[in-house]
Amino acid sequence: MPSVSDRLPTFPWDRLEPYKTTAAQHPDGIVDLSVGTPVDPVPPLIRQALTEAADTPGYPTVWGTKALRDALTGWCERRLGARGMTERNVLPVVGSKELVAWLPTQLGLGPGDRVAFPRLAYPTYEVGARLARAEYVAYDDPLELDPAGLKLLWLNSPSNPTGQVLPAEKLRAVVAWARERGILVLSDECYLELGWEADPVSVLHPDVCGGSHEGIVAVHSLSKRSNLAGYRAAFIAGDAGVLGELLQIRKHGGMMTPAPVQAATVAALGDDTHVAAQRDRYRARRAALRGALEAAGFRIEHSEASLYLWATRDESCWDTVGGLADQGILVAPGDFYGPAGDRHVRVALTATDERVNAAVSRLKG
């Protein structure tokens, strides 16, 4: 049988293992600023909701409970400024990476169809196109794309890895351009609540979409804002026709968010206090790491939002990774996110205060 994995690139994080080994040999241990996995505790009210829903022996539904759908629509209206949201405009998913990887396949894309994503981008956008056997193209400006055969256009603001934020007027222009050409816009907004020097805007905001959800879908995750990466809690919101089709497919595929996680999601979306507290933690870590990196000769580009600093000292990203690994600090090479990142590294803010302080001390050394 043909191997599906043959369609895919080498898993990027495997290439980082030798550098991780080097960093781990530091006398004071490794400071891992590479993957960006949350390290702070899950807020107590979310754990309580999960525990209280633990005795759920029956199957959950793909669409989720009414309480979950209400929480999703309410949050979109309150936090994103979306208007006219109904339960048909939201759909829980089993983590946003799963959604990104399988979306082109679930939409029926295949050979001859094209998927577009930013020149510097989360690598799973490309993986999704490869799994569907679709063609893919990386862009600098989506408005300069050739629309022929283009079926799916990924936006990512705030960006992973760069932290760049697209202003509302740019988003509005892209949405209008795509609608005129019948191209579906998928906006990955998983870092939207982590703006530092800019205020990220959703494609669902009326200033962008004109109050209509036609042709647009936003992707959101609770992994970063609520420390729920281990829960695989995420959702999509937008065009009811697109979400309805995905619902039918996902029902056949059994792509169900576990019932306790649904309950935890309701609790998480209903509370802003823990989000503000987590933002404060990341803000302090960001300030400490940015100051130390700049003092050590790095230049920080973009990084106005998200959980990363996009840093360069004008050398090969792998030379930077190696040099930092010798100091016991592990970061992600920029070329994980496309060839355009080959002289940058991505530095995550997701380490404990103690480990961040250790990195700061080593960078000063």
Side-chain angles (χ1 to χ4, degrees), residues 1 97 185 212 235 315 330:
M1 292 183 64
K97 184 171 186 176
V185 173
S212 168
F235 65 94
E315 64 183 5
L330 188 67

Side-chain angles (χ1 to χ4, degrees), residues 248-261:
Q248 296 305 315
I249 294 165
R250 296 170 71 83
K251 283 163 66 174
H252 282 289
M255 295 178 172
M256 302 173 284
T257 302
V261 174

Side-chain angles (χ1 to χ4, degrees), residues 351-364:
T352 64
D353 293 343
E354 184 273 331
R355 288 289 84 188
V356 167
N357 290 336
V360 168
S361 176
R362 295 174 196 182
L363 288 166
K364 288 180 179 177

Side-chain angles (χ1 to χ4, degrees), residues 165 194-200 286 290 300 302-305 309:
V165 173
L194 295 167
W196 311 116
E197 299 163 5
D199 187 13
R286 178 180 184 272
R290 179 166 193 155
I300 307 300
H302 299 301
S303 305
E304 58 261 34
L309 293 170

Side-chain angles (χ1 to χ4, degrees), residues 224-264:
K224 315 300 186 186
R225 70 181 300 276
S226 300
N227 300 330
L228 297 187
Y231 284 45
R232 311 313 300 135
F235 65 94
I236 52 178
D239 191 313
V242 175
L243 268 59
E245 175 69 8
L246 291 173
L247 173 61
Q248 296 305 315
I249 294 165
R250 296 170 71 83
K251 283 163 66 174
H252 282 289
M255 295 178 172
M256 302 173 284
T257 302
V261 174
Q262 293 188 30

